[in-house]
Amino acid sequence: MRREQRRRLVVLCLVLLAAFLLRLRVYDSFSLRMWTRQKGLQAENSQFVLDGEPFRILGGSMHYFRVPKEYWKDRMLKMKACGLNTLTTYVAWNLHEPRRGQFDFSGNLDLGTFLGLAAEVGLWVVLRPGPYICAEWDLGGLPSWLLRDQGMQLRTTYKGFAEATEVYFDELLPRVFKHQYSRGGAIIAVQVENEYGSYAKDANYMEFIKTALVRRGIVELLLTSDNKDGISSGSMEGVLATINFQKIEPILFSYLESIQGNKPVMVMEYWTGWFDHWGGDHHVFDVDQMVSTVTEVVAKGASINLYMFHGGTNFGFMSGALHFHEYRSDVTSYDYDAPLSEAGDYTSKYFKLREVFSKQYAEPLPPAPTLSTRAAYGAVELKHSLSLWDVLQLAEEPFRSEMPVNMENLPVNEGNGQSYGYTLYETVIYGGGKFQTRGNVRDRAQVFVSVQSVGFVDYKNQELTIPEVPGYRKLRILVENCGRVNYGNRINDQRKGLVGDVFLREVPLRNFKIYSLDMNSTFINSLNSVRWSDLSEETMGPAFYQGALQIGFVPMDTYLSMKGWKKGVVFVNGKNLGRYWEIGPQETLYVPGTWLWPGTNEITIFEEQEAGSSVYSVDATYLGRTQYVD
């Protein structure tokens, strides 16, 4: 009798356990593997195998640092509902180690929580830890303090770079270790650097990175990622090579096979859209072309990762740039024309992809999560203004130097230099004449005599005329770092500010007073300690403007329309939303509802030239005139 009772009790417990798992909606292949795993992702033949079972990666890219932490799970659930089983993310070194030896993995940089959420939702993870990531991110994710070394050779085994990378991995990888598949986590593969075949300056570098990963306990499948032209130089023995493209070519997969033989085919980056530059158009990629290519890749039995599935936003000063024939900085939005919009809304691409991927499953996909509502809160009530010249005392003590000093080598931020924002150079001149930069302004500067603007200089416009007035006057050069190059062979040449001499009447200027204006949250919050002028009072030169945005009881996502303003940066409750610029294409800035408060929200605008008449909170984005990517 007791034996029968024990049997019934065991059966009852199993039934209750099954019901519990079903209730949590985790009784799927992901969860079963979480409970029964033995061997991680393998690429020994033409098909991936996970724990002895055939496996295909259906992935999408989303970067935790481009999405507010409060929205991570929402975006992941939308991935799952689209039929994806894997999430890929880069790790941004420059955010995690903003000053040498000082690390931050808190708040929106809490990578451990991000990886844990992926496991909770039921997504595997391909981690791309760099150290270089490209990603249209400032300096490809490398910290700017590396450039204080005048001999620095980034992405090589140069002693200064290699040692810094080792210290970074010493901090990062122990945090990642427990999230590997073999330790019960979601990470099934780790990328060795990123697109190194397009750079390939050091034959020993990739082996150095691989060894650094393995030595710190990375045991999951290692892979590389390159485009067609870089794959031969970027691949390495014992590491799976993957390929990046937007348009499939007949030879791509056979070319990949010729490099590594009978291995699984993985498209690490299938570009679902493209990014935008200031002064250009908003790029879109035809939805039917995208679906056709994805369908073809899936039909070939290959694995695929959508770059991007959800782009998000280049908050702050973090957007990168390209500099081939000309310098072009990236806009604030990283919408990317992806299946999920910048604010996490569904696009037509999402639903067509969902239809394609649903055919890979025997069971119906989970329903797509309900979208949150966008709000239009109306006009921002602008009340006060404050000239830049009136707040210089709030910046760090100015540095005096006979010669110009670039941003990164200024003696500020505990010896780490200035990373982002603006740098003001002041000197005294006599008279006027031709002012020349000879390419030493990086990237754009407004020139003033006292407080009167006399024009702009940049890469193209390297001369202007200073009006002739007898006597001594103060010359001010306000230089903006518009974003460091994130891709290409110019990556070592990304010091900002004045990187060499500037000239008046062919004579190099000397004896500078240099202000670091990185406009971090401490500086922006300190503006409330000085007297602001009413808007009725005249404000000269670059200035800050302050206003209030009134929000109801439950703050919702919104956008700020900057139409009518010239160029600058917007802060909401001390958080940097990013840059705006009248040359477009982007005219609105995304404001996450999680950054807003019920009641009064403080809007601070730094405008370089001339304020617009108003700022409006609107419920729809405008990213500019569209241009189709061919």
Side-chain angles (χ1 to χ4, degrees):
M1 184 65 182
R2 288 180 180 178
R3 182 179 299 175
E4 180 64 20
Q5 287 177 334
R6 284 198 299 270
R7 188 185 68 80
R8 289 179 180 177
L9 182 60
V10 169
V11 171
L12 178 61
C13 288
L14 290 173
V15 169
L16 290 174
L17 178 60
F20 174 72
L21 291 174
L22 285 169
R23 183 175 179 83
L24 290 180
R25 296 184 180 179
V26 298
Y27 196 69
D28 55 20
S29 60
F30 179 94
S31 302
L32 286 173
R33 284 193 170 108
M34 293 287 279
W35 284 58
T36 64
R37 64 185 58 187
Q38 295 177 3
K39 195 172 185 180
L41 190 66
Q42 305 294 307
E44 297 173 355
N45 296 302
S46 62
Q47 190 174 32
F48 284 122
V49 174
L50 184 61
D51 248 332
E53 297 293 328
F55 182 76
R56 178 188 293 188
I57 294 173
L58 301 176
S61 289
M62 163 188 161
H63 304 147
Y64 60 95
F65 46 85
R66 282 181 159 126
V67 181
K69 182 178 181 179
E70 295 81 359
Y71 298 159
W72 288 348
K73 189 172 184 179
D74 170 79
R75 307 310 193 246
M76 292 177 187
L77 288 170
K78 290 170 179 172
M79 280 188 173
K80 190 77 172 175
C82 194
L84 302 185
N85 60 22
T86 304
L87 177 154
T88 73
T89 185
Y90 286 126
V91 180
W93 180 7
N94 54 6
L95 294 183
H96 290 294
E97 193 180 4
R99 297 179 179 181
R100 186 186 288 269
Q102 298 182 27
F103 293 91
D104 185 2
F105 286 86
S106 64
N108 226 84
L109 300 179
D110 189 347
L111 179 59
T113 294
F114 183 81
L115 296 173
L117 277 175
E120 179 185 323
V121 168
L123 291 169
W124 303 112
V125 172
V126 174
L127 190 71
R128 310 173 81 182
Y132 164 84
I133 62 173
C134 184
E136 289 70 63
W137 197 250
D138 187 271
L139 202 60
L142 302 176
S144 65
W145 46 258
L146 289 166
L147 299 174
R148 291 175 64 81
D149 178 351
Q150 295 301 313
M152 177 57 65
Q153 294 295 311
L154 303 173
R155 305 182 71 192
T156 71
T157 53
Y158 173 78
K159 185 172 184 290
F161 184 75
E163 289 179 348
T165 299
E166 296 270 23
V167 172
Y168 167 56
F169 278 173
D170 280 342
E171 186 71 25
L172 169 67
L173 296 180
R175 298 172 181 273
V176 167
F177 180 81
K178 68 179 181 180
H179 293 283
Q180 295 182 91
Y181 182 90
S182 60
R183 307 294 296 183
I187 297 174
I188 57 173
V190 177
Q191 184 172 298
V192 181
E193 232 261 358
N194 186 58
E195 296 180 316
Y196 196 68
S198 299
Y199 190 71
K201 295 289 187 181
D202 185 337
N204 299 315
Y205 177 68
M206 289 293 281
E207 189 61 43
F208 159 67
I209 298 297
K210 175 188 174 182
T211 301
L213 295 171
V214 172
R215 186 158 51 86
R216 289 168 176 82
I218 297 299
V219 297
E220 306 306 333
L221 179 71
L222 297 178
L223 44 82
T224 60
S225 169
D226 288 281
N227 61 27
K228 180 186 67 174
D229 297 328
I231 198 165
S232 60
S233 300
S235 58
M236 58 189 305
E237 186 69 28
V239 177
L240 182 71
T242 69
I243 195 162
N244 305 335
F245 61 79
Q246 185 167 68
K247 182 179 180 181
I248 194 168
E249 300 175 38
I251 65 167
L252 282 178
F253 290 175
S254 59
Y255 179 58
L256 188 60
E257 184 179 355
S258 71
I259 290 175
Q260 62 185 1
N262 188 32
K263 296 291 184 183
V265 174
M266 169 74 185
V267 182
M268 174 53 75
E269 292 186 11
Y270 172 68
W271 304 318
T272 61
W274 204 244
F275 54 93
D276 301 335
H277 300 288
W278 289 115
D281 295 327
H282 172 51
H283 292 94
V284 298
F285 183 54
D286 182 76
V287 60
D288 292 327
Q289 288 187 53
M290 183 206 70
V291 170
S292 175
T293 301
V294 171
T295 301
E296 185 176 353
V297 171
V298 172
K300 289 179 179 294
S303 288
I304 189 170
N305 175 64
L306 307 173
Y307 188 100
M308 297 293 295
F309 183 80
H310 174 47
T313 309
N314 298 316
F315 293 116
F317 297 113
M318 300 312 300
S319 53
L322 289 180
H323 194 169
F324 293 107
H325 301 297
E326 62 177 326
Y327 173 85
R328 304 188 71 187
S329 56
D330 298 339
V331 304
T332 298
S333 171
Y334 200 61
D335 177 88
Y336 210 85
D337 191 37
L340 285 185
S341 75
E342 179 179 13
D345 292 329
Y346 301 121
T347 70
S348 59
K349 288 182 177 179
Y350 179 93
F351 292 105
K352 292 198 173 187
L353 285 170
R354 177 178 158 92
E355 184 178 346
V356 172
F357 292 139
S358 67
K359 298 174 184 177
Q360 303 303 310
Y361 299 92
E363 299 295 326
L365 294 176
T370 303
L371 292 178
S372 58
T373 305
R374 309 279 171 255
Y377 293 110
V380 174
E381 185 181 359
L382 295 173
K383 299 179 179 180
H384 307 293
S385 63
L386 186 61
S387 171
L388 174 66
W389 317 125
D390 294 334
V391 299
L392 292 179
Q393 75 274 14
L394 300 178
E396 291 197 36
E397 187 70 22
F399 172 60
R400 296 181 183 274
S401 173
E402 180 184 2
M403 311 276 285
V405 177
N406 61 283
M407 175 185 287
E408 295 79 6
N409 284 97
L410 291 174
V412 297
N413 294 324
E414 302 178 13
N416 289 275
Q418 182 182 346
S419 295
Y420 313 107
Y422 299 77
T423 308
L424 178 66
Y425 298 80
E426 289 186 351
T427 188
V428 174
I429 61 171
Y430 184 88
K434 182 179 290 185
F435 174 79
Q436 298 173 304
T437 69
R438 299 184 184 176
N440 288 327
V441 164
R442 307 287 176 83
D443 300 297
R444 184 175 186 268
Q446 190 172 6
V447 182
F448 303 85
V449 176
S450 186
V451 297
Q452 184 65 45
S453 176
V454 294
F456 290 87
V457 287
D458 55 23
Y459 290 94
K460 291 182 178 180
N461 305 308
Q462 299 186 12
E463 296 182 359
L464 54 78
T465 300
I466 306 292
E468 287 282 0
V469 175
Y472 291 95
R473 296 176 294 171
K474 184 181 290 185
L475 183 75
R476 288 166 156 162
I477 308 168
L478 181 63
V479 186
E480 180 191 6
N481 167 5
C482 296
R484 295 182 182 86
V485 162
N486 55 266
Y487 180 82
N489 290 325
R490 290 179 178 261
I491 196 165
N492 288 311
D493 184 28
Q494 292 307 303
R495 295 168 183 87
K496 300 297 185 178
L498 293 185
V499 299
D501 286 330
V502 291
F503 302 80
L504 182 63
R505 301 187 301 271
E506 304 292 332
V507 177
L509 295 175
R510 292 290 180 262
N511 300 317
F512 289 93
K513 183 190 290 186
I514 307 173
Y515 292 86
S516 172
L517 301 170
D518 55 9
M519 297 199 183
N520 59 26
S521 58
T522 300
F523 176 81
I524 294 301
N525 292 332
S526 73
L527 296 177
N528 291 320
S529 66
V530 297
R531 179 187 175 276
W532 290 67
S533 302
D534 292 335
L535 278 184
S536 57
E537 301 179 33
E538 185 177 8
T539 303
M540 299 292 293
F544 296 90
Y545 296 85
Q546 196 173 73
L549 179 63
Q550 299 299 329
I551 303 293
F553 184 70
V554 180
M556 293 182 284
D557 287 2
T558 187
Y559 304 89
L560 290 183
S561 172
M562 302 307 298
K563 190 173 179 61
W565 293 70
K566 298 294 185 182
K567 189 178 191 302
V569 192
V570 180
F571 303 83
V572 174
N573 296 326
K575 291 183 179 290
N576 190 333
L577 292 182
R579 303 177 177 96
Y580 65 88
W581 197 353
E582 66 172 348
I583 65 173
Q586 180 178 357
E587 291 186 9
T588 55
L589 291 174
Y590 171 56
V591 186
T594 189
W595 288 10
L596 298 171
W597 307 325
T600 301
N601 292 263
E602 185 177 84
I603 308 295
T604 304
I605 304 170
F606 175 65
E607 167 59 52
E608 297 178 23
Q609 298 172 244
E610 180 183 347
S613 58
S614 60
V615 176
Y616 284 92
S617 162
V618 296
D619 60 5
T621 187
Y622 183 69
L623 298 177
R625 184 181 64 184
T626 59
Q627 172 187 332
Y628 277 87
V629 179
D630 185 0

